[in-house]
Amino acid sequence: MYQTKIAGLGKYVPENVVTNDDLSKMMDTNDEWITERTGIKERRHIKKGDGNSTAVMGVKAAKIALERSGISKDDIDLIVFATLSPDYYFPGCGVQVQEMLDIDTCPALDVRNQCSGFVYAISVADQFIKTGMYKNVLVIGSENHSGGLDFTNRGRSVSVIFGDGAGAAVLTRSDHNGQGILSSHLHSEGKHALELSLKGPSTNYWVPEIIKDNPQGDDIPYYPYMNGQFVFKNAVQRFSEVINEGLQANGLEVSDIDMLIPHQANLRISQFIQQKFRLNDDQVYNNIQRYGNTTAASIPIALTEAWEEGRIKDEDIVVLAAFGSGFTWGSAIIKW
């Protein structure tokens, strides 16, 4: 079987910076409260009229990744797009990216695994490359959260967390055994699906029913719900398990980790995992302070920044790990 290596990385975030102080003018919150509970100081939000959308941001990140990879868009064999906030209910963002990049009739696949979306997407791309079916795969994680958040007191516990942005990676075939994506590990536990969810509108509860049942807008199901303490408890457990699973599968020790890039859900979760594994600050990359939780985009944005800052070098062992709605979680072990 072939090996899969990451040939190029790119990211894009909107120019519009929204600070904790900005949010305090919209709802009863403050910088101290948000920082203490999440570690977030600011995030980026699409501004109406700036031309951005989930697919557009994905394209902007993808163009950077393609340029850095040295691989032409015309040589892309597959597009895998991870998001929970597509531009349309259907079609998915993958075909939009294909059209915007003027790529011919390659397949485009959308992944709906929320915060674990990029790890799942990387795993899918890796399998296609390792088996020889495709040579070059464009993987994108992109989110437009701001358009679907409740910026009133009703939604303040959730709305302060999320931001907009996109990250992309170009994956390509390599003949160098023992280098590239060594393995990926995916899990889910559907019995907890509603603990972190957005239930409507859905095919079981469509827009006319929502309007009829909520004439005053008191119980609107198209804003996200999160059982924060329960999610935190499960996240720290599953993060630990799936990181260890990846290390053990490759005969590696915690001390072999050169860079851990966790999904940027909450700085407190990342710090808990760092302390549990006794990793120093140079071995973990966090940027949630600047961008908030960008769901499927968080790992590719952080991975891109870590690489741009020279914190990932050839031969480094890089671990990607994510946990999120579903519940779903996963890890990928990479030798750079």
Side-chain angles (χ1 to χ4, degrees):
M1 298 179 73
Y2 296 103
Q3 290 291 121
T4 303
K5 73 173 184 179
I6 295 177
L9 293 166
K11 71 175 178 70
Y12 174 82
V13 292
E15 294 182 4
N16 181 38
V17 178
V18 179
T19 67
N20 293 342
D21 288 336
D22 292 332
L23 293 180
S24 72
K25 298 171 185 174
M26 306 178 198
M27 60 189 83
D28 291 337
T29 190
N30 57 67
D31 176 67
E32 182 181 5
W33 190 92
I34 297 171
T35 303
E36 179 183 345
R37 287 162 176 78
T38 69
I40 301 167
K41 301 296 290 185
E42 61 186 40
R43 70 286 294 148
R44 305 295 182 96
H45 285 173
I46 288 175
K47 203 168 186 177
K48 288 291 185 182
D50 70 2
N52 282 312
S53 72
T54 300
V56 168
M57 291 190 297
V59 167
K60 290 177 179 179
K63 285 181 177 179
I64 297 170
L66 284 165
E67 182 179 355
R68 288 172 170 173
S69 73
I71 294 171
S72 167
K73 65 177 181 62
D74 297 321
D75 291 323
I76 294 297
D77 302 307
L78 169 68
I79 299 167
V80 184
F81 197 112
T83 188
L84 65 72
S85 53
D87 291 352
Y88 310 124
Y89 206 86
F90 65 86
C93 288
V95 294
Q96 292 179 261
V97 167
Q98 180 185 21
E99 190 274 333
M100 291 180 198
L101 289 176
D102 192 28
I103 295 174
D104 203 11
T105 58
C106 80
L109 170 68
D110 288 64
V111 173
R112 290 291 305 278
N113 284 84
Q114 295 69 247
C115 297
S116 303
F118 189 78
V119 172
Y120 267 72
I122 283 283
S123 176
V124 170
D126 182 38
Q127 305 312 309
F128 276 116
I129 291 173
K130 279 183 174 171
T131 58
M133 185 168 183
Y134 298 126
K135 182 178 181 181
N136 302 310
V137 181
L138 173 61
V139 181
I140 299 170
S142 182
E143 302 288 2
N144 172 15
H145 282 302
S146 61
L149 297 174
D150 181 359
F151 290 105
T152 69
N153 286 338
R154 178 180 52 200
R156 61 184 174 179
S157 63
V158 173
S159 297
V160 301
I161 298 171
F162 294 98
D164 305 338
V170 177
L171 276 58
T172 190
R173 182 187 302 169
S174 171
D175 295 320
H176 296 291
N177 287 330
Q179 194 169 23
I181 298 176
L182 303 182
S183 64
S184 56
H185 309 270
L186 308 176
H187 299 274
S188 65
E189 190 175 23
K191 69 181 181 180
H192 299 312
L194 298 185
E195 300 296 342
L196 179 52
S197 61
L198 193 157
K199 294 193 290 185
S202 72
T203 52
N204 291 321
Y205 194 38
W206 212 238
V207 174
E209 296 169 281
I210 292 173
I211 295 172
K212 180 181 177 182
D213 292 348
N214 304 280
Q216 306 300 321
D218 296 328
D219 184 22
I220 303 175
Y222 47 76
Y223 289 133
Y225 165 78
M226 179 173 64
N227 183 346
Q229 290 185 339
F230 188 76
V231 171
F232 187 100
K233 178 182 176 181
N234 279 266
V236 294
Q237 176 186 346
R238 298 310 192 183
F239 263 112
S240 299
E241 290 175 355
V242 83
I243 291 170
N244 279 323
E245 180 184 3
L247 293 174
Q248 292 169 10
N250 293 282
L252 298 170
E253 304 290 338
V254 171
S255 58
D256 293 317
I257 297 175
D258 295 296
M259 179 57 66
L260 168 64
I261 298 184
H263 161 56
Q264 304 293 296
N266 185 309
L267 186 60
R268 307 305 165 223
I269 294 175
S270 297
Q271 290 172 334
F272 184 95
I273 298 302
Q274 179 176 344
Q275 292 169 5
K276 183 171 182 177
F277 283 90
R278 297 182 180 178
L279 300 172
N280 62 49
D281 290 344
D282 291 333
Q283 292 173 283
V284 184
Y285 194 87
N286 289 302
N287 62 3
I288 191 171
Q289 304 92 323
R290 300 190 299 278
Y291 304 125
N293 180 345
T294 56
T295 308
S298 81
I299 286 180
I301 289 174
L303 181 63
T304 300
E305 286 198 338
W307 175 80
E308 288 174 341
E309 294 170 15
R311 294 183 59 180
I312 297 176
K313 303 175 292 296
D314 287 348
E315 305 295 321
D316 277 359
I317 297 296
V318 178
V319 178
L320 313 180
F323 173 90
S325 173
F327 287 151
T328 61
W329 61 98
S331 66
I333 313 298
I334 304 168
K335 187 171 184 180
W336 211 258

